[in-house]
Amino acid sequence: MKIKYGEIEFCSKWLLEHLALAGKKSRMRVRLIEILGEHQAKFEKFRMDLIKEHARLDENGDIVVVDRDENGSGQADIIDPEAFRSDLQELLLEEFVVEESETNREMLLVMKECVDECPVAWSGQAALEYEAVCRLFEGIYQNE
């Protein structure tokens, strides 16, 4: 199963919010979401590395933050916003693979079945979101 870093959060949220599952199917969903969560953590590390690469740094090597709010949060002082956006877009489109291994086989096949046989009739934006999730599961174990 190939998925882009930029799709992880959407896919995890969709699976949780749009599929009412119980028992084994629910456990398989949680297992997949845990795997996606591991990749989300990698993505966040890569994103922070990009910010650090493109931001002004203070004398301690920490990111300079501007426009702080009352909670102390703010934006990194990015030197070249266009270059940063380009690099971030490239990262968001980068794909990783959830291996079609023996370990993941049951989880992926159960989730593919759950998505394919979802009894909800979709329309509008929800139909486009459903199609995006379906595409993620399309090619799973096709060579069998």
Side-chain angles (χ1 to χ4, degrees):
M1 171 183 186
K2 285 186 180 179
I3 185 168
K4 293 174 178 64
Y5 281 117
E7 296 173 326
I8 298 172
E9 191 173 343
F10 161 77
C11 183
S12 296
K13 186 176 177 182
W14 193 94
L15 291 171
L16 277 173
E17 293 179 357
H18 292 89
L19 292 179
L21 303 174
K24 179 180 179 178
K25 291 177 179 179
S26 181
R27 288 192 312 277
M28 295 298 113
R29 173 180 51 196
V30 169
R31 190 175 299 168
L32 177 57
I33 289 171
E34 286 173 350
I35 290 170
L36 294 176
E38 292 169 10
H39 287 283
Q40 181 70 27
K42 287 179 188 177
F43 166 75
E44 288 302 324
K45 184 205 176 303
F46 296 150
R47 188 179 69 81
M48 286 306 297
D49 290 345
L50 269 181
I51 291 171
K52 196 164 190 172
E53 180 182 321
H54 286 277
R56 293 188 204 293
L57 305 177
D58 64 16
E59 60 277 352
N60 297 323
D62 295 326
I63 298 168
V64 173
V65 178
V66 295
D67 300 327
R68 289 188 187 271
D69 61 16
E70 63 276 355
N71 297 326
S73 297
Q75 298 293 317
D77 188 6
I78 302 295
I79 297 166
D80 183 350
E82 191 57 40
F84 172 72
R85 275 192 290 279
S86 175
D87 286 351
L88 181 59
Q89 184 64 27
E90 187 176 295
L91 176 61
L92 288 167
L93 294 174
E94 193 173 303
E95 291 181 327
F96 65 90
V97 175
V98 176
E99 294 292 331
E100 292 181 26
S101 64
E102 194 58 38
T103 304
N104 293 338
R105 180 183 180 78
E106 184 177 27
M107 172 195 66
L108 290 172
L109 289 174
V110 166
M111 291 313 303
K112 177 179 174 39
E113 177 186 329
C114 290
V115 169
D116 286 347
E117 297 176 5
C118 183
V120 177
W122 305 100
S123 63
Q125 182 64 32
L128 296 174
E129 292 172 357
Y130 176 64
E131 175 61 23
V133 173
C134 287
R135 268 187 262 126
L136 294 174
F137 291 92
E138 248 173 21
I140 293 176
Y141 295 101
Q142 254 183 347
N143 298 333
E144 295 183 356

